[in-house]
Each structure stands twice: as C-alpha cells, then as structure tokens.
Amino acid sequence: MNPIADDDFTPGRVVPLSELISRVTAPNGGKMTGPGTNTYLIGRAGGADVAILDPGPASPAHVDALLAAVAGRRVVALVVTHTHLDHSPAASPLRARTGAPRVGRTSSFPQFQDPTFQSDLEVRDGTTVSGDGWTLRAVPTPGHASNHVCWLLEEEAALFTGDHVLGTTSPVILPPDGSMRAYLDSLARLQQLSLRELMPGHGPRLLRPARVFELLVRHRLDREAEVVAALARAPQATVPALVDIVYRDVSEDLKRWAAFSLEAHLIKLAEDGRAFGTDGRWQLAADPA
Ligand SMILES: [Zn+2]
C-alpha cells in the first residue's frame, strides 16, 4: 500500500490513505490536538456508502468539508471513539444533515465531555457497523476515558485508536473518568489483535502496531517507577510537588494535564496496595516483607 500524502493535514482536505480509508483533518490544531482532529471516512471512494469516524469539533467549516467529501454516498453511521470535545460534537449537526445514527458510548462523566452526544445505538464489545465491502468492529478500550472505543476495520486490519494511541506521545489519563489500570489493560488487549496499522485520532498513521504498544506500555511503567522513586525521596508529597519531580521534562503550561496523569498513576499504585494518600499527601505503603 502506498502511503499517499500522509503528512498532509491541511484542514478540510480529503487525504486518501487506503482503498477504504480517507482522512479529513479538522481546523482545530493546537497543543493538545497536534495538527487537528483526524476525521476518517470509511468506504470506497466511488462506493455507495460511507461511515464518518470521529466527526470532530463543532466547526461549521469542518462539517461542510465532510458533507462535501461524502456527497453522493449514503452516510451509514457517525461513529465516535469517545466524546471529548475535539472528537464528537460534529456528530449532532451531521446527524441533522444526513439522518445517519450516532454510534459510540454516551459518557456518564461530565468533565471535558461533549454534552450533545447521545448514541443512537448501544455499543457493546464486538458491535459492528458495516457497509458495502467494509465492517467496523467495536473494541472497547477504557483508560483515556471510560467510554473510549477503538474501531477495527476488518478488511484492512486497521485500528482506529482515537486518543488511546497517539503515536509515540502518551495520552493524558483523566481520573476519575480515565484510569491508568484500565488504560494498561486495554493496551494489553490490543496487543492480542492482529493489526496491520493504527489510525490515531491525531497525527499520522502508525505502521508498526506491536512496537507502538510496547513503547507505550514501557513508557507508563517507567513513569510509574519514577513516581515510586519520588515518593521514596519525598514522603507526604502533594500532587503538585510530585508533578515537579516526575514531569520535570514537561513545559509549565502542560503541567495541569500532567497532574491528571500523575494522579492516575497514584490511584493505580493505591489499587495495587503500593501507596496511599491522606488529605492530599501521598506515601508508599509499608513494605509487606
Ligand atoms: Zn480525548
């Protein structure tokens, strides 16, 4: 397969990536979104039908670009990986314009969520959405958010990873909706799938899934070891104090987000019985030996 212009993230432009997949980048590039949210179109270019995956933010320009890109084809579904504000809000105006159902998991957490998203179909493990020559299968992957679902395009062994896998950068885990333990369990599940490529929610596609998963797991376990080391050096530490130690490589404006991931590490350590927090101060559990 020829990786046609995979570095083209011009907002609104239709970039073909394979026989069945094209990408349209939303005009919301930034620190947390990279070049912008990737909206994927699934279905043959000249085919009868198409699914729109992660319709993106509520941008009229983006909605118009998507409608132009799918003109002449029936929109079968508006599929979402999760309902953060950069992924799902365009589903509602697109539903109004095309009549296609919204397909994803409605969030039960208010924080950082798109309040307009209501799924028109219940998504379970293995739920499929299909069209002419393509089938998307739901692979629930809680972690970044509890309602996160990756979607497997069976015909191409390509996995749409939303914010669960974003290239080599680790996604922010946002407790209590997000969970580090769930995130690692979900990665372990994805490692069992036989995949050819990953289509992330932001940035270029990834051609070596096994290697990507391995690096992400190692990165989190390295961070966890750093949190344990920091707690050993600074008992009774607060989250901000630990962020300064563990995420010293992160710029000041991103530390707010790093604090969420750090808290997620602490919660996992508490679940593992290795640390505990009292009144916002954390320490290692006494060695069971
Ligand atoms: Zn997200």
Side-chain angles (χ1 to χ4, degrees), residues 82 84-87 144-145 148 163 174 202:
H82 66 303
H84 282 157
L85 291 165
D86 52 332
H87 289 262
H144 171 68
H148 198 289
D163 283 356
L174 300 160
H202 308 270

Side-chain angles (χ1 to χ4, degrees), residues 14-93:
V14 182
V15 178
L17 298 176
S18 76
E19 188 99 0
L20 291 173
I21 305 170
S22 339
R23 179 183 65 212
V24 181
T25 304
N28 66 337
K31 249 187 189 103
M32 302 302 290
T33 52
T37 301
N38 291 333
T39 297
Y40 292 101
L41 308 178
I42 294 106
R44 238 166 279 280
D49 54 32
V50 63
I52 301 177
L53 187 140
D54 276 355
S59 149
H62 190 53
V63 168
D64 287 346
L66 294 174
L67 288 169
V70 301
R73 288 186 278 175
R74 186 171 72 90
V75 181
V76 176
L78 305 161
V79 179
V80 308
T81 57
H82 66 303
T83 52
H84 282 157
L85 291 165
D86 52 332
H87 289 262
S88 62
S92 295

Side-chain angles (χ1 to χ4, degrees), residues 171-252:
V172 174
I173 307 293
L174 300 160
D177 184 13
S179 154
M180 190 63 72
R181 174 184 292 270
Y183 175 77
L184 288 167
D185 287 350
S186 293
L187 275 178
R189 177 173 181 193
L190 295 184
Q191 286 177 311
Q192 305 303 311
L193 302 177
S194 157
L195 299 171
R196 226 161 49 191
E197 57 190 336
L198 307 178
M199 300 282 177
H202 308 270
R205 67 164 140 201
L206 306 159
L207 295 172
R208 296 176 64 199
R211 179 79 183 131
V212 171
F213 295 147
E214 191 190 311
L215 286 173
L216 287 174
V217 171
R218 192 187 308 158
H219 173 74
R220 292 298 184 175
L221 295 180
D222 285 352
R223 282 282 196 213
E224 183 176 275
E226 287 182 58
V227 174
V228 170
L231 285 170
R233 281 211 312 274
Q236 301 291 325
T238 60
V239 167
L242 290 166
V243 167
D244 283 336
I245 301 172
V246 176
Y247 289 90
R248 60 193 173 280
D249 54 330
V250 167
S251 65
E252 283 304 317

